[in-house]
Amino acid sequence: MDWIEKSRLWIGAEATIEAAHHPVALDLLVRAGLRRGLHVLDIGCGSGGTLMMVADQVGSDGAVSGIDIAPPMTARAANRAKSRPQVAVMTGDAQTHPFNPASHDVAISLFGVMFFADPVPPSPIF
Ligand SMILES: C[S@@+](CC[C@H](N)C(=O)[O-])C[C@H]1O[C@@H](n2cnc3c(N)ncnc32)[C@H](O)[C@@H]1O
């Protein structure tokens, strides 16, 4: 998959795609049990729509880290989240990135992990 090319198309249609996915995003965040103060990992965060939703739910006491493999996506996400200091964005392959499990209370992914070579996690995530 050419994620850089895909990200250009995705960012160009960002508002339309996010509006279409909004009900699913809301359900995901409810199921994740988000509350103020949690530290959340958003896998395949794309251009940052869910990062900002999560940031507003966890508040300034919490944190949300987004990871995405496509640099145009992470650049766009970081730019959109500039006013939310609890958001951090990194570029990388979440399949191989050396996450510290102690750094996050919850991991979410809105249409992200389904692209992994092995999308089934070893333990339940949302
Ligand atoms: C369908 S988009 C969803 C983006 C975002 N979660 C949203 O709903 O707006 C899938 C995203 O997963 C990212 N992605 C795919 N494989 C990845 C991987 N191995 N590690 C990190 N991100 C990945 C893509 O770059 C893309 O931004």
Side-chain angles (χ1 to χ4, degrees):
M1 189 86 74
D2 181 349
W3 285 114
I4 295 193
E5 178 57 25
K6 290 266 181 254
S7 64
R8 294 206 174 98
L9 298 171
W10 187 273
I11 291 167
E14 181 182 84
T16 304
I17 294 170
E18 286 187 0
H21 290 176
H22 193 64
V24 186
L26 286 176
D27 191 48
L28 172 69
L29 301 194
V30 168
R31 287 168 185 264
L34 298 189
R35 61 180 186 280
R36 294 190 75 78
L38 285 182
H39 287 214
V40 179
L41 175 64
D42 186 350
I43 303 169
C45 63
S47 62
T50 47
L51 281 179
M52 292 186 293
M53 293 170 74
V54 172
D56 293 342
Q57 293 198 9
V58 300
S60 55
D61 301 340
V64 52
S65 305
I67 183 167
D68 200 284
I69 202 167
M73 290 293 213
T74 50
R76 171 74 181 146
N79 190 48
R80 291 174 82 192
K82 271 194 299 208
S83 63
R84 293 170 174 84
Q86 67 272 48
V87 176
V89 183
M90 57 190 151
T91 304
D93 185 340
Q95 296 174 109
T96 54
H97 184 82
F99 294 107
N100 176 358
S103 299
H104 303 103
D105 303 303
V106 179
I108 64 165
S109 184
L110 182 65
F111 305 124
V113 295
M114 66 189 200
F115 295 105
F116 283 9
D118 179 6
V120 180
S123 61
I125 62 171
F126 298 102

Short mmCIF file of all heavy atoms in Angstrom, two decimals, residues 1 3-4 6-7 10 17-18 21 25 42-50 67-71 73 80 92-96 109-117, ligand 1:
data_model
loop_
_atom_site.label_atom_id
_atom_site.label_comp_id
_atom_site.label_asym_id
_atom_site.label_seq_id
_atom_site.Cartn_x
_atom_site.Cartn_y
_atom_site.Cartn_z
N MET A 1 0.85 -1.21 0.00
CA MET A 1 0.00 0.00 0.00
C MET A 1 0.88 1.25 0.00
O MET A 1 1.82 1.34 0.79
CB MET A 1 -0.87 -0.02 1.26
CG MET A 1 -1.95 1.02 1.30
SD MET A 1 -3.49 0.59 0.49
CE MET A 1 -4.20 -0.58 1.64
N TRP A 3 1.07 4.48 1.26
CA TRP A 3 0.36 5.31 2.24
C TRP A 3 0.56 6.80 2.01
O TRP A 3 -0.27 7.61 2.41
CB TRP A 3 0.79 4.91 3.66
CG TRP A 3 0.16 3.62 4.07
CD1 TRP A 3 0.81 2.43 4.31
CD2 TRP A 3 -1.23 3.35 4.25
NE1 TRP A 3 -0.09 1.46 4.62
CE2 TRP A 3 -1.36 1.99 4.60
CE3 TRP A 3 -2.38 4.12 4.14
CZ2 TRP A 3 -2.59 1.39 4.85
CZ3 TRP A 3 -3.61 3.54 4.38
CH2 TRP A 3 -3.70 2.19 4.73
N ILE A 4 1.65 7.17 1.36
CA ILE A 4 1.87 8.60 1.09
C ILE A 4 0.86 9.08 0.05
O ILE A 4 0.20 10.11 0.23
CB ILE A 4 3.32 8.86 0.67
CG1 ILE A 4 4.21 8.52 1.87
CG2 ILE A 4 3.50 10.30 0.22
CD1 ILE A 4 5.62 8.97 1.79
N LYS A 6 -1.99 7.60 -0.66
CA LYS A 6 -3.32 7.49 -0.02
C LYS A 6 -3.57 8.69 0.90
O LYS A 6 -4.68 9.19 0.98
CB LYS A 6 -3.41 6.21 0.82
CG LYS A 6 -3.44 4.93 0.01
CD LYS A 6 -4.86 4.49 -0.25
CE LYS A 6 -4.90 3.20 -1.02
NZ LYS A 6 -5.27 3.33 -2.41
N SER A 7 -2.52 9.12 1.61
CA SER A 7 -2.74 10.20 2.56
C SER A 7 -3.08 11.50 1.85
O SER A 7 -3.86 12.30 2.35
CB SER A 7 -1.53 10.37 3.48
OG SER A 7 -0.40 10.74 2.75
N TRP A 10 -6.65 11.22 1.13
CA TRP A 10 -7.40 11.25 2.39
C TRP A 10 -7.51 12.68 2.91
O TRP A 10 -8.59 13.15 3.28
CB TRP A 10 -6.68 10.37 3.42
CG TRP A 10 -7.40 10.18 4.70
CD1 TRP A 10 -7.35 10.99 5.79
CD2 TRP A 10 -8.29 9.11 5.03
NE1 TRP A 10 -8.14 10.49 6.79
CE2 TRP A 10 -8.73 9.34 6.35
CE3 TRP A 10 -8.73 7.99 4.34
CZ2 TRP A 10 -9.60 8.48 6.99
CZ3 TRP A 10 -9.61 7.14 4.99
CH2 TRP A 10 -10.03 7.38 6.29
N ILE A 17 -14.77 12.61 4.84
CA ILE A 17 -14.51 11.30 5.44
C ILE A 17 -14.78 11.36 6.95
O ILE A 17 -15.43 10.47 7.52
CB ILE A 17 -13.06 10.85 5.16
CG1 ILE A 17 -12.87 10.59 3.67
CG2 ILE A 17 -12.72 9.60 5.96
CD1 ILE A 17 -11.43 10.37 3.24
N GLU A 18 -14.31 12.42 7.59
CA GLU A 18 -14.52 12.51 9.05
C GLU A 18 -16.01 12.62 9.39
O GLU A 18 -16.46 12.06 10.39
CB GLU A 18 -13.73 13.69 9.62
CG GLU A 18 -12.24 13.37 9.68
CD GLU A 18 -11.41 14.43 10.39
OE1 GLU A 18 -11.98 15.44 10.87
OE2 GLU A 18 -10.18 14.23 10.47
N HIS A 21 -17.43 9.17 9.14
CA HIS A 21 -16.94 8.26 10.18
C HIS A 21 -17.29 8.71 11.59
O HIS A 21 -17.03 7.98 12.55
CB HIS A 21 -15.41 8.12 10.08
CG HIS A 21 -14.97 7.37 8.87
ND1 HIS A 21 -13.65 7.19 8.54
CD2 HIS A 21 -15.68 6.73 7.90
CE1 HIS A 21 -13.55 6.48 7.42
NE2 HIS A 21 -14.77 6.21 7.01
N ALA A 25 -16.58 6.92 15.19
CA ALA A 25 -15.57 7.48 16.11
C ALA A 25 -16.16 7.70 17.49
O ALA A 25 -15.54 7.37 18.51
CB ALA A 25 -15.04 8.80 15.54
N ASP A 42 -3.35 6.38 19.92
CA ASP A 42 -4.22 6.31 18.74
C ASP A 42 -3.38 5.75 17.59
O ASP A 42 -2.51 6.44 17.04
CB ASP A 42 -4.76 7.70 18.42
CG ASP A 42 -5.79 7.70 17.29
OD1 ASP A 42 -5.97 6.66 16.62
OD2 ASP A 42 -6.42 8.76 17.08
N ILE A 43 -3.66 4.50 17.23
CA ILE A 43 -2.83 3.78 16.25
C ILE A 43 -3.38 4.02 14.84
O ILE A 43 -4.56 3.75 14.57
CB ILE A 43 -2.82 2.27 16.56
CG1 ILE A 43 -2.31 2.03 17.98
CG2 ILE A 43 -1.97 1.52 15.54
CD1 ILE A 43 -2.52 0.60 18.48
N GLY A 44 -2.52 4.51 13.96
CA GLY A 44 -2.98 4.87 12.61
C GLY A 44 -3.87 6.09 12.70
O GLY A 44 -4.98 6.11 12.16
N CYS A 45 -3.34 7.12 13.35
CA CYS A 45 -4.17 8.30 13.71
C CYS A 45 -4.54 9.14 12.51
O CYS A 45 -5.39 10.03 12.62
CB CYS A 45 -3.44 9.15 14.73
SG CYS A 45 -1.87 9.86 14.10
N GLY A 46 -3.93 8.87 11.35
CA GLY A 46 -4.27 9.63 10.16
C GLY A 46 -4.04 11.12 10.36
O GLY A 46 -3.06 11.54 11.00
N SER A 47 -4.96 11.93 9.85
CA SER A 47 -4.77 13.38 9.90
C SER A 47 -5.28 13.99 11.20
O SER A 47 -5.33 15.22 11.32
CB SER A 47 -5.42 14.03 8.69
OG SER A 47 -6.81 13.79 8.69
N GLY A 48 -5.65 13.17 12.17
CA GLY A 48 -5.82 13.68 13.53
C GLY A 48 -7.22 13.92 14.06
O GLY A 48 -7.37 14.45 15.16
N GLY A 49 -8.23 13.53 13.31
CA GLY A 49 -9.60 13.76 13.79
C GLY A 49 -9.87 13.17 15.16
O GLY A 49 -10.35 13.85 16.07
N THR A 50 -9.52 11.89 15.34
CA THR A 50 -9.76 11.27 16.65
C THR A 50 -8.78 11.77 17.71
O THR A 50 -9.13 11.82 18.89
CB THR A 50 -9.68 9.73 16.56
OG1 THR A 50 -8.51 9.36 15.84
CG2 THR A 50 -10.92 9.15 15.90
N ILE A 67 0.20 7.71 16.35
CA ILE A 67 1.26 7.21 15.47
C ILE A 67 0.65 6.88 14.13
O ILE A 67 -0.44 6.30 14.05
CB ILE A 67 2.01 5.98 16.07
CG1 ILE A 67 3.15 5.56 15.15
CG2 ILE A 67 1.06 4.83 16.38
CD1 ILE A 67 4.13 4.57 15.78
N ASP A 68 1.37 7.28 13.07
CA ASP A 68 0.92 6.94 11.72
C ASP A 68 2.15 6.76 10.84
O ASP A 68 3.17 7.42 11.04
CB ASP A 68 0.02 8.04 11.15
CG ASP A 68 -0.83 7.53 10.00
OD1 ASP A 68 -0.29 7.36 8.88
OD2 ASP A 68 -2.04 7.26 10.22
N ILE A 69 2.01 5.87 9.89
CA ILE A 69 3.16 5.52 9.03
C ILE A 69 3.40 6.55 7.93
O ILE A 69 4.49 6.60 7.37
CB ILE A 69 2.92 4.11 8.44
CG1 ILE A 69 4.23 3.47 8.03
CG2 ILE A 69 1.90 4.15 7.31
CD1 ILE A 69 4.10 1.98 7.74
N ALA A 70 2.40 7.39 7.65
CA ALA A 70 2.49 8.31 6.51
C ALA A 70 2.85 9.72 6.97
O ALA A 70 2.05 10.38 7.65
CB ALA A 70 1.17 8.33 5.75
N PRO A 71 4.03 10.23 6.60
CA PRO A 71 4.42 11.57 7.04
C PRO A 71 3.42 12.69 6.71
O PRO A 71 3.22 13.57 7.55
CB PRO A 71 5.77 11.80 6.33
CG PRO A 71 6.32 10.41 6.13
CD PRO A 71 5.12 9.56 5.85
N MET A 73 0.27 12.53 6.78
CA MET A 73 -0.79 12.41 7.79
C MET A 73 -0.32 12.98 9.13
O MET A 73 -1.04 13.73 9.78
CB MET A 73 -1.18 10.94 7.98
CG MET A 73 -1.93 10.33 6.83
SD MET A 73 -3.57 11.06 6.62
CE MET A 73 -4.47 9.64 6.03
N ARG A 80 -3.00 20.34 13.07
CA ARG A 80 -4.37 20.53 13.56
C ARG A 80 -4.42 20.54 15.08
O ARG A 80 -5.32 21.15 15.67
CB ARG A 80 -5.28 19.39 13.06
CG ARG A 80 -5.52 19.43 11.59
CD ARG A 80 -6.29 18.20 11.15
NE ARG A 80 -7.73 18.32 11.38
CZ ARG A 80 -8.57 17.28 11.29
NH1 ARG A 80 -8.11 16.07 11.02
NH2 ARG A 80 -9.86 17.46 11.48
N GLY A 92 5.69 6.57 12.21
CA GLY A 92 6.34 5.27 12.33
C GLY A 92 5.38 4.14 12.05
O GLY A 92 4.17 4.35 11.92
N ASP A 93 5.96 2.97 11.96
CA ASP A 93 5.16 1.75 11.73
C ASP A 93 4.75 1.19 13.09
O ASP A 93 5.61 0.71 13.85
CB ASP A 93 6.01 0.73 10.95
CG ASP A 93 5.21 -0.50 10.56
OD1 ASP A 93 4.14 -0.76 11.18
OD2 ASP A 93 5.64 -1.23 9.67
N ALA A 94 3.48 1.25 13.39
CA ALA A 94 3.00 0.81 14.71
C ALA A 94 3.17 -0.69 14.91
O ALA A 94 3.10 -1.17 16.05
CB ALA A 94 1.53 1.21 14.89
N GLN A 95 3.39 -1.42 13.83
CA GLN A 95 3.59 -2.88 13.97
C GLN A 95 4.93 -3.21 14.61
O GLN A 95 5.10 -4.27 15.20
CB GLN A 95 3.54 -3.55 12.59
CG GLN A 95 2.19 -3.43 11.91
CD GLN A 95 2.23 -3.98 10.51
OE1 GLN A 95 1.67 -5.03 10.23
NE2 GLN A 95 2.90 -3.28 9.62
N THR A 96 5.89 -2.31 14.44
CA THR A 96 7.24 -2.59 14.92
C THR A 96 7.76 -1.55 15.91
O THR A 96 8.83 -1.72 16.48
CB THR A 96 8.22 -2.65 13.72
OG1 THR A 96 8.09 -1.44 12.97
CG2 THR A 96 7.91 -3.84 12.83
N SER A 109 -7.96 2.53 17.75
CA SER A 109 -7.60 2.63 16.35
C SER A 109 -8.88 2.70 15.54
O SER A 109 -9.70 1.77 15.58
CB SER A 109 -6.77 1.42 15.91
OG SER A 109 -6.35 1.58 14.57
N LEU A 110 -9.06 3.80 14.83
CA LEU A 110 -10.22 3.94 13.95
C LEU A 110 -9.77 3.60 12.52
O LEU A 110 -9.12 4.41 11.86
CB LEU A 110 -10.77 5.38 14.02
CG LEU A 110 -12.02 5.65 13.18
CD1 LEU A 110 -13.22 4.85 13.70
CD2 LEU A 110 -12.38 7.14 13.16
N PHE A 111 -10.09 2.40 12.09
CA PHE A 111 -9.72 1.94 10.74
C PHE A 111 -8.21 2.03 10.51
O PHE A 111 -7.77 2.39 9.42
CB PHE A 111 -10.47 2.74 9.67
CG PHE A 111 -11.96 2.74 9.84
CD1 PHE A 111 -12.68 3.93 9.94
CD2 PHE A 111 -12.67 1.55 9.91
CE1 PHE A 111 -14.06 3.94 10.09
CE2 PHE A 111 -14.05 1.54 10.07
CZ PHE A 111 -14.74 2.74 10.17
N GLY A 112 -7.43 1.68 11.53
CA GLY A 112 -5.97 1.71 11.41
C GLY A 112 -5.37 0.32 11.47
O GLY A 112 -4.72 -0.12 10.52
N VAL A 113 -5.58 -0.40 12.59
CA VAL A 113 -4.92 -1.70 12.75
C VAL A 113 -5.42 -2.74 11.74
O VAL A 113 -4.75 -3.75 11.53
CB VAL A 113 -5.05 -2.26 14.19
CG1 VAL A 113 -4.33 -1.38 15.18
CG2 VAL A 113 -6.50 -2.45 14.59
N MET A 114 -6.55 -2.44 11.11
CA MET A 114 -7.05 -3.42 10.12
C MET A 114 -6.08 -3.55 8.94
O MET A 114 -6.17 -4.52 8.18
CB MET A 114 -8.44 -3.03 9.64
CG MET A 114 -8.51 -1.76 8.84
SD MET A 114 -10.25 -1.32 8.59
CE MET A 114 -10.11 -0.23 7.19
N PHE A 115 -5.15 -2.62 8.81
CA PHE A 115 -4.17 -2.71 7.73
C PHE A 115 -2.91 -3.46 8.14
O PHE A 115 -2.01 -3.65 7.31
CB PHE A 115 -3.81 -1.30 7.24
CG PHE A 115 -4.98 -0.59 6.61
CD1 PHE A 115 -5.65 0.41 7.28
CD2 PHE A 115 -5.43 -0.95 5.35
CE1 PHE A 115 -6.73 1.06 6.71
CE2 PHE A 115 -6.52 -0.32 4.76
CZ PHE A 115 -7.17 0.69 5.44
N PHE A 116 -2.82 -3.85 9.39
CA PHE A 116 -1.64 -4.59 9.84
C PHE A 116 -1.58 -5.97 9.16
O PHE A 116 -2.62 -6.54 8.82
CB PHE A 116 -1.69 -4.83 11.35
CG PHE A 116 -1.35 -3.63 12.20
CD1 PHE A 116 -1.18 -2.37 11.66
CD2 PHE A 116 -1.19 -3.78 13.57
CE1 PHE A 116 -0.87 -1.28 12.46
CE2 PHE A 116 -0.88 -2.70 14.37
CZ PHE A 116 -0.71 -1.45 13.82
N ALA A 117 -0.37 -6.50 9.03
CA ALA A 117 -0.22 -7.86 8.48
C ALA A 117 -0.97 -8.85 9.37
O ALA A 117 -1.57 -9.80 8.88
CB ALA A 117 1.26 -8.20 8.40
C1 LIG B 1 -8.16 4.43 6.79
S1 LIG B 1 -6.90 5.50 7.47
C2 LIG B 1 -7.64 5.95 9.05
C3 LIG B 1 -7.02 7.20 9.62
C4 LIG B 1 -7.62 7.70 10.92
N1 LIG B 1 -7.61 6.69 11.97
C5 LIG B 1 -9.01 8.21 10.72
O1 LIG B 1 -9.97 7.48 10.98
O2 LIG B 1 -9.16 9.35 10.24
C6 LIG B 1 -5.67 4.28 7.97
C7 LIG B 1 -4.43 4.94 8.54
O3 LIG B 1 -3.57 3.93 9.05
C8 LIG B 1 -2.24 4.30 8.75
N2 LIG B 1 -1.42 3.09 8.82
C9 LIG B 1 -1.48 1.99 8.03
N3 LIG B 1 -0.59 1.07 8.39
C10 LIG B 1 0.06 1.59 9.47
C11 LIG B 1 1.10 1.11 10.31
N4 LIG B 1 1.67 -0.10 10.11
N5 LIG B 1 1.54 1.89 11.32
C12 LIG B 1 0.98 3.12 11.52
N6 LIG B 1 0.00 3.63 10.75
C13 LIG B 1 -0.46 2.88 9.74
C14 LIG B 1 -2.34 4.94 7.38
O4 LIG B 1 -1.24 5.77 7.05
C15 LIG B 1 -3.64 5.72 7.51
O5 LIG B 1 -3.43 7.03 7.97
#
